[in-house]
Amino acid sequence: MEILANPDNSVTGTWSWQQHMKRAIRSVNTLLSMIELESKVQDLTDEASDFPLFVPLPYLERIEKGNSDDPLLRQVLPVADERESPEHFSIDPLGEQSATLRDGLIQKYQKRVLVIASRTCAINCRYCFRRHFPYETAALGDQRWSETIDSIAADDTINEVILSGGDPLTVTDEKLADVFNRLEAVEHLQRIRLHTRLPIVIPQRVTDGLLKMIGKFRRSRTGRQVVMVVHSNHANEIDDAVCRSLSRLSDSATQLLNQSVLLAGVNDDTDTLVRLSERLLSANTLPYYLHQLDPVEGTAHFEVPVSTGLKLIEEIRARLPGYAVPRYVQELAGEPGKTVLA
């Protein structure tokens, strides 16, 4: 597979976000070759993992060549440790299957529902809590979208809809506009929230069309709030292009938050987390949550003890203003909300 038509990146720099998705790296051998590590890393092959590798080039370009310990590489490279499965790790640690109201519609908390807007992700993160999720039955086609929105409209206790996935921004601007228009007609809704990693992974996803759609929704007669929660775990993920895209989203009057996951070998030290918060703030994005790892099967090698997480938050508080310190939280199946650890 030919990835780059020109080694100076002049071609990839003009690709649309859809082109970047289509040309993402799906082979471990190709990934290692491109970052000059093919002779230095002993890992699973593509075929040995039931959770395939998927890395778009804008993200890959931020990985340091020749560095097998690069924190961005660690998030995406399949390793043999994924075969280890301690007893408290499971395929559905958050109890989402029992909280499913209908295919593609989940309600774990009062007044909020989560819609599986897409089965496709911006990137396959090895620690993903939905790596075993049954997307083949949950993803919504046009008919299911109508039925799902009808279900939301029939329950006037719901005031917030969370579009998740997969990644809701893998849906086209035109389809998202249609979904927003349908949700606007639901009178008891106050907010739409999007959980997405695409502005971090492929900053080209922040298109004029997306910004126009969000602005139109906010300026409509209902004036509903749009909250976007992006996902970055390390300051190296936020290069200048990402920073510009996040700032554009913020300028569109979108409330912009970031959530991270505490990951061994990625961000489990104070300096790294401080730099991440500072970089987020420079992009008009508020640090929101630092999640304790969800114990999903295949991710145990990323686990950081809660005692370490508590110490990190204490040290971060000593170095940053309060608004720059994310809440350290853990999600537990069956609880009425996130458990705040610090």
Side-chain angles (χ1 to χ4, degrees):
M1 176 182 180
E2 184 179 1
I3 303 300
L4 296 177
N6 190 319
D8 67 3
N9 198 33
S10 60
V11 173
T12 60
T14 63
W15 284 352
S16 69
W17 69 271
Q18 293 102 325
Q19 289 174 308
H20 276 297
M21 290 289 290
K22 289 178 181 177
R23 291 168 169 83
I25 304 302
R26 293 171 169 83
S27 161
V28 170
N29 290 335
T30 301
L31 172 65
L32 294 179
S33 175
M34 293 184 71
I35 59 174
E36 302 174 4
L37 279 175
E38 58 265 50
S39 63
K40 298 180 182 179
V41 176
Q42 297 298 318
D43 254 291
L44 301 179
T45 64
D46 301 74
E47 294 76 20
S49 175
D50 60 358
F51 185 53
L53 180 140
F54 184 83
V55 185
L57 288 171
Y59 189 90
L60 183 144
E61 290 163 358
R62 298 169 224 159
I63 296 174
E64 182 183 357
K65 291 182 178 181
N67 181 6
S68 60
D69 295 321
D70 183 89
L72 276 60
L73 176 65
R74 182 167 170 79
Q75 295 180 58
V76 299
L77 184 67
V79 295
D81 287 341
E82 294 180 24
R83 293 171 173 163
E84 302 298 322
S85 184
E87 187 174 337
H88 67 291
F89 281 69
S90 67
I91 63 172
D92 183 23
L94 305 185
E96 292 195 322
Q97 294 307 302
S98 61
T100 297
L101 303 178
R102 56 179 298 124
D103 287 344
L105 186 64
I106 298 171
Q107 184 168 28
K108 291 186 284 188
Y109 306 134
Q110 292 184 16
K111 298 186 177 183
R112 288 162 281 173
V113 290
L114 184 146
V115 177
I116 301 295
S118 172
R119 71 177 67 187
T120 305
C121 283
I123 191 169
N124 281 0
C125 302
R126 307 313 301 175
Y127 53 87
C128 179
F129 72 94
R130 289 199 182 116
R131 59 183 289 164
H132 303 289
F133 191 82
Y135 285 111
E136 63 278 2
T137 60
L140 300 180
D142 288 341
Q143 180 62 32
R144 283 187 177 177
W145 266 114
S146 296
E147 294 170 354
T148 296
I149 293 173
D150 287 344
S151 294
I152 294 169
D155 185 350
D156 63 8
T157 67
I158 297 170
N159 63 21
E160 182 174 18
V161 169
I162 303 165
L163 300 182
S164 185
D167 194 308
L169 289 191
T170 60
V171 177
T172 65
D173 292 342
E174 293 75 17
K175 181 60 182 178
L176 277 176
D178 179 61
V179 170
F180 270 53
N181 288 336
R182 294 190 196 187
L183 290 173
E184 185 182 0
V186 181
E187 294 185 358
H188 50 83
L189 284 186
Q190 298 175 10
R191 290 177 299 278
I192 294 179
R193 191 187 337 164
L194 298 99
H195 282 202
T196 177
R197 191 142 159 76
L198 256 167
I200 303 296
V201 174
I202 306 176
Q204 293 87 344
R205 180 60 187 96
V206 182
T207 61
D208 291 342
L210 177 66
L211 297 174
K212 182 178 179 180
M213 180 201 71
I214 293 172
K216 180 180 178 181
F217 186 77
R218 287 185 53 82
R219 292 189 301 271
S220 69
R221 60 181 178 80
T222 56
R224 304 279 172 67
Q225 187 177 25
V226 178
V227 178
M228 185 173 289
V229 183
V230 297
H231 176 184
S232 177
N233 299 311
H234 196 282
N236 290 359
E237 294 179 329
I238 308 174
D239 63 7
D240 289 344
V242 172
C243 196
R244 286 192 297 270
S245 289
L246 293 177
S247 294
R248 290 184 75 203
L249 283 166
S250 176
D251 291 343
S252 74
T254 306
Q255 187 168 347
L256 200 56
L257 309 172
N258 180 74
Q259 58 183 354
S260 306
V261 181
L262 183 59
L263 301 167
V266 175
N267 58 10
D268 55 337
D269 68 273
T270 305
D271 287 345
T272 295
L273 290 172
V274 167
R275 285 196 301 271
L276 174 60
S277 283
E278 290 175 334
R279 187 64 172 156
L280 287 166
L281 291 173
S282 72
N284 297 323
T285 305
L286 193 67
Y288 171 46
Y289 277 155
L290 176 64
H291 287 267
Q292 179 65 14
L293 179 75
D294 296 317
V296 65
E297 189 175 286
T299 68
H301 56 294
F302 285 112
E303 188 173 34
V304 176
V306 170
S307 59
T308 300
L310 293 172
K311 185 173 185 294
L312 289 170
I313 291 295
E314 181 180 353
E315 292 172 352
I316 293 169
R317 284 205 180 103
R319 294 174 55 178
L320 292 175
Y323 60 82
V325 181
R327 283 177 289 174
Y328 181 34
V329 300
Q330 183 172 26
E331 186 165 354
L332 301 172
E335 291 298 311
K338 300 284 193 303
T339 298
V340 178
L341 301 174

